[in-house]
Amino acid sequence: MDVRPADDAAIATAAQRLARGGLVALPTETVYGLAADATNGRAVAAIFEMKGRPHFNPLIVHLPDVAAAQRHGQLDHRALTLANAFWPGPLTMVVKRRAESPLCDLVSAGLDTVALRVPAHPVARALLAACALPLAAPSANPSGYLSPTTAAHVAEGFGEADLLVLDGGPCTVGLESTVVDLSSHSVAGLLRAGGVSAEAIAACIGAVIPADAGAAIRAPGMLPSHYAPHHPVRLDVTTVRPDEAVLGFGANMPPGGAISRNLSPSGDLREAAANLFAMLHELDQPGITAIAVVPIPGGGLGPAIRDRLARAATGH
Ligand code: TXA
Ligand code: MG
């Protein structure tokens, strides 16, 4: 494990590592990603190995711009409209893969579709420019555990691994990207709620249907046990036991508990999203019996935050 501030020298070293088939943990505006050259099947396999994933989920391919995305996937008018509105940013689009794309098969788990994203974080963009490779990157955490929003979280998760971590500070969005399925001509499907709200997407391209049972199979990252801390999570609490850790929101901060955090004292859902994983990490301490979470309101990023909390709660 080699954690370095993401300066020009570290980014150049990271680009060389990626070109040789190595792995690099990089900051994005959503969460830290565990990146490899998406055209190199062995390098992509090393991602699954390091994460200890029980099966090969398709991974998101990160690119510098729309033109690069079009070399790998077929972006229809809806995809181009969304790219124009939300790229660079926390939106991933699943589209038909181009036959001539050099991406390895493993990155899309053998599917004829591919998930593409143009990230906004300056370090991610600098690394994409320096290595000139499409980068496969799932969240940089051991499979099934909380997503990392700081370099320290990545280091905790992968203690002794042979990994260069570019430290670009805490992630500003703090939730994974929204995943939208545009791979068929039927209405767009929301495969994962995330950093861009479903309302904002619908405002651009009309109706978006929520993830259904079929979509859950198509998006294996939606497994209920994703994002689980070590301790049980209790949702929608109104009272707290003395041996529990408390996660509050706005004015709703129940007294008691061994340790507590407030996702956003002012009740701002964006601030709450940015704090969610970091605070779950902080509360997931030895000695507590559970993490007790107050109700999170709907609207905007509320559904995405509640989705992550529900998964954290069912992971035990
Ligand atoms: O914010 C993010 O999206 C982060 C950062 C690092 O970019 N990445 C991330 O990747 O969360 P990952 O691998 O943990 O999640 C990828 C999601 C999963 O839900 C996966 O099933 C879905 O995208 N996905 C990827 N390719 C797909 C495909 N071809 N069809 C359907 N779903 C796909
Ligand atoms: Mg993940």
Side-chain angles (χ1 to χ4, degrees):
M1 179 72 55
D2 180 4
V3 183
R4 298 194 202 175
D7 56 20
D8 290 350
I11 288 167
T13 304
Q16 287 163 12
R17 255 186 99 88
L18 290 165
R20 288 198 311 264
L23 301 188
V24 171
L26 86 165
T28 82
E29 68 278 20
T30 58
V31 299
Y32 274 71
L34 183 61
D37 173 3
T39 65
N40 180 335
R42 293 178 66 92
V44 172
I47 294 178
F48 291 106
E49 194 178 9
M50 192 172 289
K51 282 185 64 94
R53 273 205 180 168
H55 45 238
F56 294 139
N57 309 26
L59 304 180
I60 295 171
V61 177
H62 298 70
L63 300 151
D65 51 37
V66 183
Q70 283 177 305
R71 284 200 280 279
H72 302 291
Q74 295 167 25
L75 275 63
D76 64 12
H77 68 281
R78 299 171 301 175
L80 291 171
T81 302
L82 290 176
N84 196 36
F86 300 112
W87 279 356
L91 176 72
T92 295
M93 293 193 263
V94 174
V95 299
K96 278 263 181 282
R97 195 182 148 133
R98 281 193 193 282
E100 64 272 28
S101 164
L103 297 176
C104 67
D105 288 330
L106 187 54
V107 81
S108 47
L111 301 171
D112 63 353
T113 56
V114 64
L116 304 173
R117 166 156 122 80
V118 174
H121 195 291
V123 173
R125 300 190 64 72
L127 185 60
L128 285 164
C131 70
L133 293 167
L135 295 179
S139 51
N141 53 284
S143 186
Y145 191 59
L146 296 170
S147 294
T149 56
T150 65
H153 294 158
V154 179
E156 279 163 31
F158 297 117
E160 293 111 61
D162 178 18
L163 181 65
L164 171 58
V165 183
L166 293 177
D167 185 350
C171 302
T172 54
V173 176
L175 286 179
E176 291 82 355
S177 60
T178 301
V179 182
V180 178
D181 183 2
L182 298 168
S183 63
S184 79
H185 293 299
S186 62
V187 68
L190 184 71
L191 296 183
R192 181 175 72 183
V196 174
S197 72
E199 296 97 305
I201 291 167
C204 277
I205 59 165
V208 180
I209 53 165
D212 56 14
I217 292 159
R218 276 180 291 148
M222 303 293 290
L223 283 176
S225 64
H226 254 67
Y227 313 112
H230 298 308
H231 290 91
V233 174
R234 233 164 39 88
L235 298 179
D236 299 327
V237 303
T238 50
T239 58
V240 171
R241 294 189 281 265
D243 50 8
E244 287 184 315
V246 191
L247 190 59
F249 177 81
N252 193 352
M253 202 57 237
I259 169 174
S260 64
R261 293 286 184 275
N262 191 326
L263 285 169
S264 170
S266 66
D268 175 346
L269 286 165
R270 281 201 184 150
E271 182 184 22
N275 284 331
L276 179 66
F277 289 126
M279 289 185 174
L280 286 171
H281 274 280
E282 287 164 15
L283 294 177
D284 198 18
Q285 294 289 330
I288 65 159
T289 55
I291 301 174
V293 187
V294 304
I296 305 297
L301 292 177
I305 295 170
R306 290 209 302 241
D307 170 80
R308 300 303 187 279
L309 287 168
R311 287 168 205 285
T314 52
H316 291 271

